[in-house]
């Protein structure tokens, strides 16, 4: 019995095989089955007859920080803790209104999809119903999403804070709601989300870590983003360092994603590696809030999982393309400012692309599910046209713009105008040629 293939794609395929190895297949056929998984990848398809021979073998039906988003591009004139008080917390308070969430979150998710974000890890707010709303919208629009109801029971504004009991109770309610919401597709996942150690009591962190273990769900938070933040944590806890605070509350494991990790000590980096946790590198945010420059080369050399993040609205851009560009600059800054005896190489193009694809997948323990086009993985992909209408990319006659060169131009010059179609698990969910509600 032949496999049922729902779509077959013919063209140039680009994906990461490892941190340093980029594979470009200039003439490929990719078959996607009815479940959105990659059934086959045929390389070097050189003739129409070869295409037809392959097609005849298959039965194919067709060939072919969420609440902070409104602040993006503003409020970048102050450091982290002041930025939270002045801009972030007042905006997030508005999500106490479900009506506000229902108007805002569809715009957030649609924009991320249009810019090519097939998988997003979201911080919602402390509000249970608005957080459920975000989960529903991500589910409806077909994005692969990890949604967190934020936890904050101290060191927060009087008008934007929870009790320890309500935070824990609402978190478990939210986790069960999301698990029930998406029982079939399993594209939407709850993620435990203590905002950071400053805003969470020890009692609350112990409670939500038990929820994470009980339901076997991932964890996300912020770590070592800003010097003042680190000093405040040291005042609040007697643990040896910031990372140990999370570890001693059982919030640091192989399902944990920590944003930033700029100012980690050797002991902290070793602890993160030992626990199998990962770092979401958010260079735009780090630059914008003057938090510092993360030494990604050091993290990679020490075997720590790293992926790229946008951290909207600390980072003013919603596209992972900007994260690639900012990460490139951050790597060069690290190299230029390092002592002569500690010089390191900048992050290469292949590594940048890996961090934006397979690196992100590994943070979520999905490296065997998504991240590249290996047979058996789910087909999350972007269809790119470098010469689309009003493209920011220029290709010139007489200049040898081969595939490698055009790919690099897309990473550093391209934008959503070049993204014709966005696929999640084999289903088109966005793009300039998408005709659905996005």
């Amino acid at each position: 019995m032949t496999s049922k293939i729902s779509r077959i794609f013919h063209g140039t395929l680009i994906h990461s095989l490892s941190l340093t190895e980029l594979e470009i297949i200039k003439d490929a056929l990719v078959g996607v089955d009815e479940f959105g998984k990659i059934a086959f990848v045929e390389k070097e398809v050189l003739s129409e007859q070869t295409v037809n021979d392959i097609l005849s073998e298959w039965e194919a039906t067709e060939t072919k920080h969420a609440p902070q988003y409104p602040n993006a591009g503003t409020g970048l004139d102050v450091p982290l803790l002041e930025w939270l008080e002045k801009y972030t917390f007042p905006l997030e308070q508005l999500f106490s209104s479900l009506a506000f969430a229902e108007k805002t979150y569809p715009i957030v998710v649609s924009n991320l999809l249009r810019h090519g974000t097939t998988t997003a890890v979201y911080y919602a707010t402390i509000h249970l119903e608005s957080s459920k709303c975000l989960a529903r919208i991500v589910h409806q629009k077909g994005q692969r999403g990890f949604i967190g109801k934020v936890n904050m029971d101290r060191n927060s504004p009087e008008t934007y804070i929870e009790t320890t009991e309500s935070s824990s109770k609402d978190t478990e309610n939210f986790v069960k709601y999301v698990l029930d919401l998406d029982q079939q597709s399993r594209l939407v996942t709850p993620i435990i989300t203590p905002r950071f150690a400053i805003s969470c009591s020890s009692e609350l962190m112990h409670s939500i870590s038990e929820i994470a273990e009980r339901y076997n769900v991932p964890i996300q938070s912020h770590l070592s983003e800003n010097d003042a933040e680190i000093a405040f944590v040291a005042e609040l806890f007697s643990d040896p360092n910031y990372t140990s605070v999370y570890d001693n509350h059982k919030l640091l494991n192989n399902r944990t994603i920590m944003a930033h990790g700029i100012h980690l000590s050797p002991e902290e980096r070793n602890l993160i590696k030992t626990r199998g946790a990962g770092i979401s590198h958010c260079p735009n945010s780090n630059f914008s809030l003057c938090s510092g420059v993360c030494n990604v080369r050091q993290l990679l050399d020490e075997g720590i999982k790293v992926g790229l993040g946008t951290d909207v609205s600390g980072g003013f851009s919603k596209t992972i393309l900007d994260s690639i560009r900012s990460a490139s600059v951050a790597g060069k800054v690290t190299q230029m400012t390092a002592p002569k005896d500690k010089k390191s190489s900048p992050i290469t193009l292949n590594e940048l692309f890996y961090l934006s694809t397979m690196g992100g997948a590994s943070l979520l323990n999905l490296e065997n599910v998504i991240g590249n086009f290996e047979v058996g993985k789910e087909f999350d992909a972007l269809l790119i046209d470098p010469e689309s209408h009003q493209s920011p990319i220029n290709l010139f006659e007489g200049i040898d713009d081969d595939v490698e060169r055009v790919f690099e131009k897309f990473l550093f010059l391209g934008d959503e105008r070049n993204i014709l179609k966005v696929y999640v698990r084999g289903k088109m969910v966005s793009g300039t040629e998408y005709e659905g509600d996005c």
Side-chain angles (χ1 to χ4, degrees), residues 264 269 295-304 344:
L264 297 170
R269 297 195 302 274
N295 190 339
V296 171
R297 173 61 64 207
Q298 183 178 61
L299 297 177
L300 293 175
D301 287 349
E302 293 181 3
I304 294 173
S344 61

Side-chain angles (χ1 to χ4, degrees), residues 141-312:
K141 290 186 176 293
Q143 189 179 46
R144 193 185 300 272
F146 291 74
I147 322 296
K149 190 212 80 67
V150 170
N151 301 108
M152 297 166 55
D153 71 337
R154 67 170 179 173
N155 295 317
S156 304
E158 291 183 3
T159 55
Y160 188 52
I161 193 170
E162 310 167 284
T163 66
T164 305
E165 182 181 2
S166 67
S167 183
S168 178
K169 181 179 178 182
D170 285 353
T171 296
E172 184 163 18
N173 185 324
F174 177 75
V175 167
K176 291 193 289 187
Y177 175 83
V178 177
L179 291 175
D180 289 340
L181 172 71
D182 197 21
Q183 288 186 11
Q184 289 187 330
S185 71
R186 288 296 185 213
L187 283 177
V188 182
T189 303
I191 183 168
I192 299 300
T193 307
R195 181 175 218 112
F196 57 175
I198 290 173
S199 69
C200 295
S201 67
S202 183
E203 182 183 356
L204 177 58
M205 286 194 285
H206 279 304
S207 177
I208 60 177
S209 71
E210 291 173 2
I211 295 172
E213 183 176 3
R214 188 179 311 136
Y215 293 94
N216 191 32
V217 294
I219 299 161
Q220 66 174 342
S221 193
H222 295 84
L223 173 66
S224 295
E225 179 179 359
N226 171 281
D227 288 332
E229 167 208 12
I230 296 168
F232 197 180
V233 170
E235 293 177 11
L236 295 171
F237 298 91
S238 59
D239 302 83
N241 52 57
Y242 196 166
T243 305
S244 295
V245 172
Y246 291 117
D247 188 52
N248 290 334
H249 288 88
K250 297 183 179 180
L251 288 167
L252 196 73
N253 57 46
N254 65 354
R255 302 188 308 277
T256 300
I257 303 170
M258 287 293 172
H260 305 297
I262 302 171
H263 308 286
L264 297 170
S265 67
E267 293 77 17
E268 289 180 284
R269 297 195 302 274
N270 182 64
L271 181 56
I272 290 169
K273 179 183 178 181
T274 300
R275 295 292 182 259
I279 298 294
S280 178
H281 176 41
C282 307
N284 185 311
S285 175
N286 298 342
F287 286 134
S288 297
L289 298 179
C290 296
S291 298
V293 183
C294 181
N295 190 339
V296 171
R297 173 61 64 207
Q298 183 178 61
L299 297 177
L300 293 175
D301 287 349
E302 293 181 3
I304 294 173
K305 296 188 296 187
V306 182
L308 294 185
T310 55
D311 196 36
V312 172

Side-chain angles (χ1 to χ4, degrees), residues 399-414:
I399 297 178
D400 184 18
D401 277 325
D402 57 16
V403 175
E404 291 85 351
R405 183 180 170 92
V406 173
F407 173 63
E408 184 174 5
K409 283 189 173 185
F410 168 69
L411 292 186
F412 286 95
L413 298 174

